[in-house]
Amino acid sequence: MPAHIIDGKTFAASVRGKVAKHVSQLREIHMTKPGLAVVLVGEDPASQVYVRSKGKQTVEVGMKSIEHKLDASTSEKVLLALIEKLNTDTEIHGILVQLPLPKHLDEDMIINSIDPAKDVDGFHISNVGLLGTGQKSMVPCTPLGCLMMLRDYHGSLSGMDAVVIGRSNIVGKPMAQLLLGDSCTVTLAHSRTKNLPEVIQRADIVVAAVGRPQMVIGDWIKPGATVIDVGINRIEKAGGGTRLVGDADFASCSSVAGAITPVPGGVGPMTIACLLANTVTACYRINGLEEPGEFTA
Ligand code: NDP
């Protein structure tokens, strides 16, 4: 039987709908409007597309959206001063500095200058530590979106074997922490992992976050397993032009897996939806209000 397709586009639209309801409650009952500030340094075309899309969706759910577009030559001093201003701005509850930053800027230092309570990307070292120790934190958007989809499809993940392929700070590591938090038995694989196909064969859940087009093939997948494909790779089409594919080979994996996320239309749309959800969560917390449990890990 072909795998169930986990439709990230529809799921993300439902998350945005819930976010919009919370935004109107915050505005009508608590007299506060969640605000998200996005800072873009330089003219990276992919980053410009992301930032535009984030701004549009932020406004659509009723939140305040501000964008700061800075020149590629912006100094650390100027960028830090802007972040400090946003940290103290009472109308801003979420701050996102679009990565990657130009080479002359120290990414870690810049991210760690954001108020952890407004760090809606969840990359600040305090939030990383809180997540790692199972405490309330801001959770990185892409892994949070993956977790929401897994919970929605499976209900409880307790006791499941999960393999995360890729150990980056923004996807792989936090994903592994989240699955551990939901009582999965987690293996975190990477480029030095031996016998990767055998490791993956054991998994009830496979999360592929590698950045290698169609690397994970159906023969590696345990029949009935759930495949969450984080990868976004552009490849040449046979007849010319390009198309997007994931890190899993959709055709072969979907004939073995029980469920799979497509690329595009799987994990991708959930990332921005979770950014909006994190901004709502931050707004509740900053105002000392009880937060909605539905968006948190
Ligand atoms: P990174 O390049 O930071 O990390 C890639 C990871 O994959 C590394 O840990 C690396 O291992 C591992 N890896 C590389 N080759 C292999 C291999 N042959 N076998 C096993 N592991 C391997 O990537 P990101 O985590 O930033 O992104 C991963 C993918 O997810 C990309 O395609 C990216 O575009 C996509 N992405 C999608 C998002 C979305 O919204 N859908 C958001 C963020 C990313 P090692 O550490 O040993 O080098």
Side-chain angles (χ1 to χ4, degrees):
M1 217 171 65
H4 169 78
I5 310 294
I6 301 178
D7 179 352
K9 221 171 150 185
T10 303
F11 195 61
S14 84
V15 171
R16 288 197 303 274
K18 289 177 189 166
V19 166
K21 276 195 193 135
H22 284 289
V23 172
S24 56
Q25 274 179 27
L26 282 161
R27 291 173 71 169
E28 283 159 25
I29 304 171
H30 303 292
M31 308 304 158
T32 179
K33 179 177 177 175
L36 173 65
V38 176
V39 180
L40 174 64
V41 187
E43 268 111 46
D44 178 61
S47 295
Q48 284 178 331
V49 173
Y50 286 137
V51 168
R52 243 195 325 273
S53 186
K54 283 168 187 168
K56 186 169 165 274
Q57 294 188 34
T58 305
V59 172
E60 277 168 6
V61 295
M63 299 202 278
K64 178 185 166 110
S65 164
I66 57 169
E67 281 170 29
H68 288 274
K69 292 187 178 157
L70 307 180
D71 194 81
S73 63
T74 300
S75 69
E76 246 167 37
K77 197 174 160 204
V78 168
L79 183 54
L80 288 171
L82 171 61
I83 292 171
E84 189 44 36
K85 199 162 144 257
L86 295 170
N87 281 342
T88 54
D89 185 337
T90 53
E91 291 187 3
I92 293 300
H93 306 91
I95 304 170
L96 181 149
V97 177
Q98 184 66 45
L99 301 179
L101 287 170
K103 295 261 176 296
H104 68 282
L105 299 169
D106 179 343
E107 232 165 63
D108 287 339
M109 196 262 281
I110 299 293
I111 295 301
N112 289 327
S113 73
I114 297 171
D115 177 350
K118 297 187 177 184
D119 168 40
V120 281
D121 250 344
F123 297 159
H124 190 289
I125 194 74
S126 298
N127 283 315
V128 175
L130 290 167
L131 177 63
T133 49
Q135 299 180 69
K136 197 156 93 173
S137 64
M138 295 307 301
V139 177
C141 304
T142 301
L144 180 59
C146 297
L147 182 74
M148 281 186 186
M149 289 194 286
L150 282 166
R151 283 177 176 171
D152 183 66
Y153 181 68
H154 285 287
S156 169
L157 307 181
S158 180
M160 295 177 90
D161 277 315
V163 172
V164 179
I165 321 165
R167 56 176 163 179
S168 73
N169 290 335
I170 62 167
V171 189
K173 280 184 201 155
M175 188 72 243
Q177 299 282 9
L178 290 172
L179 291 166
L180 199 56
D182 269 28
S183 299
C184 290
T185 303
V186 182
T187 303
L188 187 47
H190 46 78
S191 66
R192 308 292 171 89
T193 298
K194 288 185 190 144
N195 306 324
L196 185 63
E198 281 170 35
V199 172
I200 293 173
Q201 261 291 327
R202 296 198 299 264
D204 304 308
I205 295 169
V206 179
V207 181
V210 189
R212 288 182 184 262
Q214 301 165 313
M215 185 188 92
V216 177
I217 55 170
D219 282 354
W220 299 1
I221 302 293
K222 177 160 101 176
T226 299
V227 178
I228 303 290
D229 191 350
V230 181
I232 303 176
N233 310 286
R234 194 166 281 285
I235 61 164
E236 304 285 323
K237 271 204 290 205
T242 61
R243 68 184 179 108
L244 289 182
V245 296
D247 290 341
D249 174 44
F250 187 82
S252 63
C253 288
S254 62
S255 66
V256 186
I260 187 167
T261 58
V263 177
V267 174
M270 284 298 288
T271 297
I272 298 185
C274 287
L275 172 68
L276 305 178
N278 274 351
T279 307
V280 160
T281 299
C283 184
Y284 275 101
R285 289 181 186 170
I286 288 167
N287 285 287
L289 301 166
E290 199 181 328
E291 69 197 62
E294 59 193 328
F295 301 140
T296 41

